[in-house]
Amino acid sequence: MPNHNHYRKNYWLIITFAVLASLLFIIALGFAKKYARKLVENEFVGKKIDVLDKNIESYNDLFFNKIPEVSFYQGYLDSNSAFIYADSVLKKYAFVKRILFFDAYVSHTPTGLGITPRAVYQFRRDCPKSQVIYRANSGEKFDIRIADDFNSMAARLASFIDIADTSRSVNNDEINKFFYAVIPEKITYMNIPRKEDIKAYKQFVESEIDNNSIYEQDILSYYIDPQDLKLVNNHPELYEKIEIKPLFYATLDTDPDLLTTESPLPGALASYKIYFSANRNFLIKEVNRRFMPLALMISLGYLVLFVIGYLIYRNISFNNKMFKLQYDFVNNLTHEFKTPVSVIKIAGNNIQSAKELKEDARKLYGKILDEEADKLNNLLNTLLSFTQIENKSIKLKYEKVNLKDFCEKIVNRYQLKYPGFDLQYELKDVSTLHTDQVLLGSVFQNLIDNAYKYSEEGSKSLKITIFKQKKQIMFKFVDKGIGIPRSELINIFKKFYRVKSQYNQQGSVGLGLAFCKELLNFMDGDIQVKSTLGKGSTFLVTLPYVH
């Protein structure tokens, strides 16, 4: 018996490998899904800065670009030019609801620096012209809230003049500190005086001599409504809804699947915040989008692992099959050699021990020795020829073969060898063939031997039909034997393979059909088989037709 423990398929190892690989695959997919979900949740919080920056672009443009344009007028804005400027602001920035313009002048007073409003104008989007809400010497009262804005900016100008260095330009820190006043929902700006104006202002503060010079100074207040910011959701994959809400707004929604985050607005927008929300179900699509590439990479890795496992399994299976085939081959070959050798030895011993041999005994022993020697010779020739054909170490010896004579010789030989064997042949429109007669004879011999061996007593028959088909010659071998199971048809031409049956228990090496296949491939031909279990088999041999 072969050592099955050495080459047997370790099914438990294969199953364990498959189970572990599948578990790792499932776990990896689970971690990837969890990672994708966590990544989306983190971005839900982190990407709000991008959305915030996108939505305050217009506010930043107003604050850093449009408002400083006031300084270009150097304090000489009047009601008409202020209206034109304010109109451009109101049209471009929807969140600016109205603008107050303080037309002021700076002069010397007994107390030093004096800042006085000549008039205050109001500009609104719904008003086609400027509105005068205060004019000096008109007897009108200065609204206290408006007066507070003006006084605040006047105090800032005075503070600036107190510390101003006339040897250099005004820096950004000084601009933000003294010329901007930013509170929730309002920005107040005063134009930056020229260097010469600053020197004059310092003289107003430091000199006790009257100076009748007057300098223009413009102050504008911009009233902001953050709720009129045009919101843009530049991350629609993360945020289902974005809204402007009061700073101390708290949602009453208690849905546990609702994710929310918020970001306060800067500067004059600071009384409000941007509120972001999305349901977890809404984010599933984005989670899946992030998960799919990871799942694909994991699947590819698993596929590689599976292919490696399959190759290992196939190698083990192949080694096991080869070991079994080799074992069967050696076992059967030993039996094939042992039987004729034993018969030869018995016959030789009988001849040696006999004092005299009668003529009949002599002929019988001679026939036995001749037949068994032929068996050994045929077996050795088959093995040698098989090896030579596989190694391409023989050459075809083409000759013109008379097919009728060729078939007659074979039929006559087998009728003598197997008297009960019904062997017939038929030629259809073909008489000669240019081929290697010896190799063709080997094909015939193997197929005829199989037809006889694998047939029941009383139905041992074989009909050989030879005919042309286009540029090929066909040899059709039809027997009435036991047939071949459909599952075995794919294997019968493999070397050392034997169909397991009661007819194959004694003395089949598994080389006959494999030898035919190799011979025909070597001769540029082919062999095919059709078989019905219990009814017989048909072998169709094809060779190039050269006459």
Side-chain angles (χ1 to χ4, degrees):
M1 293 295 292
N3 184 4
H4 292 288
N5 290 328
H6 185 65
Y7 277 113
R8 75 174 187 272
K9 299 174 185 175
N10 195 331
Y11 288 106
W12 281 112
L13 181 61
I14 295 170
I15 291 171
T16 302
F17 173 81
V19 169
L20 286 177
S22 299
L23 284 175
L24 286 174
F25 177 67
I26 294 170
I27 292 171
L29 286 179
F31 274 113
K33 191 66 176 278
K34 186 176 180 181
Y35 172 78
R37 187 182 300 112
K38 193 68 177 176
L39 183 65
V40 170
E41 290 177 357
N42 289 340
E43 287 194 0
F44 180 83
V45 176
K47 292 292 185 180
K48 64 183 180 182
I49 303 301
D50 290 345
V51 180
L52 173 65
D53 290 343
K54 181 68 176 177
N55 283 286
I56 64 172
E57 282 180 354
S58 57
Y59 170 79
N60 288 336
D61 182 60
L62 169 71
F63 190 86
F64 294 108
N65 297 318
K66 193 65 179 177
I67 290 178
E69 285 183 12
V70 173
S71 291
F72 297 158
Y73 295 93
Q74 298 180 356
Y76 290 102
L77 274 173
D78 57 21
S79 60
N80 290 329
S81 57
F83 172 78
I84 294 171
Y85 167 79
D87 185 59
S88 67
V89 172
L90 293 171
K91 285 181 178 178
K92 186 174 182 180
Y93 306 100
F95 55 89
V96 179
K97 309 311 294 180
R98 63 192 180 103
I99 299 174
L100 290 185
F101 166 50
F102 298 86
D103 185 9
Y105 63 91
V106 179
S107 62
H108 181 259
T109 65
T111 57
L113 186 69
I115 306 172
T116 308
R118 285 198 186 95
V120 180
Y121 300 90
Q122 178 175 257
F123 308 98
R124 302 173 66 94
R125 188 174 288 102
D126 55 359
C127 185
K129 60 182 181 178
S130 61
Q131 295 176 305
V132 181
I133 60 175
Y134 172 78
R135 193 181 296 278
N137 303 319
S138 65
E140 298 176 356
K141 290 186 178 181
F142 206 177
D143 185 278
I144 188 169
R145 289 173 298 179
I146 296 175
D148 284 344
D149 288 343
F150 181 81
N151 292 334
S152 173
M153 295 309 294
R156 287 172 179 264
L157 180 59
S159 298
F160 170 71
I161 297 301
D162 188 49
I163 60 94
D165 183 355
T166 57
S167 64
R168 59 174 174 79
S169 300
V170 182
N171 60 41
N172 288 330
D173 289 339
E174 292 170 338
I175 292 172
N176 292 329
K177 182 177 181 181
F178 297 107
F179 296 94
Y180 275 101
V182 181
I183 61 173
E185 302 182 41
K186 186 167 64 174
I187 303 171
T188 303
Y189 178 80
M190 178 169 55
N191 73 280
I192 303 168
R194 296 169 298 176
K195 189 181 294 185
E196 293 78 8
D197 294 344
I198 295 172
K199 290 179 180 180
Y201 295 167
K202 288 186 77 69
Q203 288 179 357
F204 288 165
V205 173
E206 297 170 356
S207 175
E208 296 181 357
I209 301 173
D210 288 340
N211 187 334
N212 296 324
S213 300
I214 294 176
Y215 296 87
E216 299 290 336
Q217 200 71 33
D218 297 325
I219 301 173
L220 287 91
S221 289
Y222 304 79
Y223 289 82
I224 308 297
D225 186 353
Q227 291 182 308
D228 284 333
L229 273 175
K230 186 178 180 181
L231 292 179
V232 178
N233 185 2
N234 55 329
H235 284 287
E237 75 281 1
L238 295 174
Y239 306 113
E240 189 174 10
K241 185 188 294 185
I242 60 172
E243 303 170 281
I244 297 289
K245 295 292 184 182
L247 186 61
F248 298 104
Y249 167 82
T251 179
L252 299 178
D253 197 325
T254 57
D255 184 357
D257 289 329
L258 182 68
L259 292 176
T260 62
T261 186
E262 58 192 43
S263 183
L265 293 169
L269 309 173
S271 57
Y272 286 81
K273 63 184 176 183
I274 294 187
Y275 183 81
F276 307 84
S277 61
N279 193 281
R280 290 185 189 275
N281 292 331
F282 174 80
L283 295 176
I284 287 177
K285 184 177 180 180
E286 181 63 15
V287 171
N288 290 337
R289 190 181 72 84
R290 305 290 182 90
F291 169 69
M292 289 308 296
L294 297 174
L296 180 61
M297 291 174 62
I298 293 170
S299 299
L300 288 175
Y302 178 76
L303 181 61
V304 171
L305 189 64
F306 176 79
V307 169
I308 292 173
Y310 170 74
L311 292 176
I312 294 173
Y313 166 76
R314 191 179 69 169
N315 188 56
I316 292 173
S317 299
F318 178 77
N319 288 340
N320 182 72
K321 188 179 294 183
M322 287 301 299
F323 174 77
K324 186 176 180 181
L325 289 174
Q326 290 172 6
Y327 175 82
D328 289 344
F329 169 70
V330 172
N331 190 41
N332 294 327
L333 188 63
T334 302
H335 185 274
E336 285 290 296
F337 274 105
K338 188 175 181 181
T339 301
V341 168
S342 298
V343 173
I344 290 171
K345 187 173 182 179
I346 292 170
N349 287 337
N350 288 341
I351 293 172
Q352 186 177 9
S353 61
K355 293 180 180 179
E356 61 180 46
L357 286 175
K358 295 181 179 180
E359 183 66 20
D360 292 341
R362 184 183 65 78
K363 289 182 178 180
L364 175 62
Y365 287 133
K367 182 180 179 183
I368 291 173
L369 290 172
D370 185 61
E371 288 178 350
E372 297 305 321
D374 284 344
K375 285 183 181 180
L376 289 174
N377 186 55
N378 287 338
L379 182 59
L380 289 172
N381 285 337
T382 299
L383 288 172
L384 180 61
S385 298
F386 209 137
T387 302
Q388 289 175 333
I389 290 172
E390 284 187 323
N391 294 328
K392 310 294 183 186
S393 59
I394 62 174
K395 293 183 179 181
L396 290 171
K397 296 179 181 179
Y398 286 101
E399 58 182 308
K400 190 172 185 178
V401 178
N402 185 300
L403 292 174
K404 183 177 181 181
D405 293 344
F406 175 79
C407 292
E408 285 286 350
K409 291 178 183 178
I410 292 177
V411 170
N412 292 335
R413 185 164 69 246
Y414 273 94
Q415 284 179 344
L416 289 174
K417 185 175 182 181
Y418 305 125
F421 188 25
D422 181 15
L423 178 60
Q424 301 177 15
Y425 75 92
E426 180 183 3
L427 299 176
K428 292 184 178 181
D429 300 326
V430 61
S431 59
T432 60
L433 176 67
H434 200 68
T435 188
D436 189 310
Q437 183 169 317
V438 176
L439 297 185
L440 183 62
S442 296
V443 174
F444 270 66
Q445 178 182 334
N446 277 284
L447 292 176
I448 294 171
D449 283 341
N450 281 353
Y452 181 83
K453 181 178 180 180
Y454 297 109
S455 297
E456 301 277 1
E457 291 293 335
S459 62
K460 293 182 179 294
S461 69
L462 177 67
K463 183 176 181 180
I464 305 170
T465 305
I466 305 174
F467 58 95
K468 290 188 298 183
Q469 191 175 75
K470 296 182 180 179
K471 295 183 179 181
Q472 294 178 321
I473 186 167
M474 319 294 284
F475 301 84
K476 191 175 182 180
F477 297 77
V478 182
D479 66 48
K480 296 181 180 179
I482 61 173
I484 304 169
R486 184 185 297 268
S487 60
E488 301 281 6
L489 291 177
I490 195 172
N491 296 313
I492 60 173
F493 294 110
K494 293 179 180 179
K495 189 165 56 173
F496 306 134
Y497 188 84
R498 296 185 308 149
V499 178
K500 288 180 172 52
S501 71
Q502 59 179 330
Y503 297 89
N504 242 345
Q505 299 302 314
Q506 304 290 334
S508 174
V509 184
L511 283 177
L513 290 176
F515 183 53
C516 288
K517 181 74 172 177
E518 287 291 333
L519 277 177
L520 291 167
N521 288 341
F522 185 66
M523 298 167 70
D524 297 325
D526 192 20
I527 183 170
Q528 297 177 348
V529 61
K530 292 182 180 179
S531 184
T532 302
L533 201 60
K535 293 185 178 181
S537 303
T538 298
F539 287 87
L540 187 63
V541 173
T542 305
L543 284 173
Y545 179 61
V546 182
H547 62 284

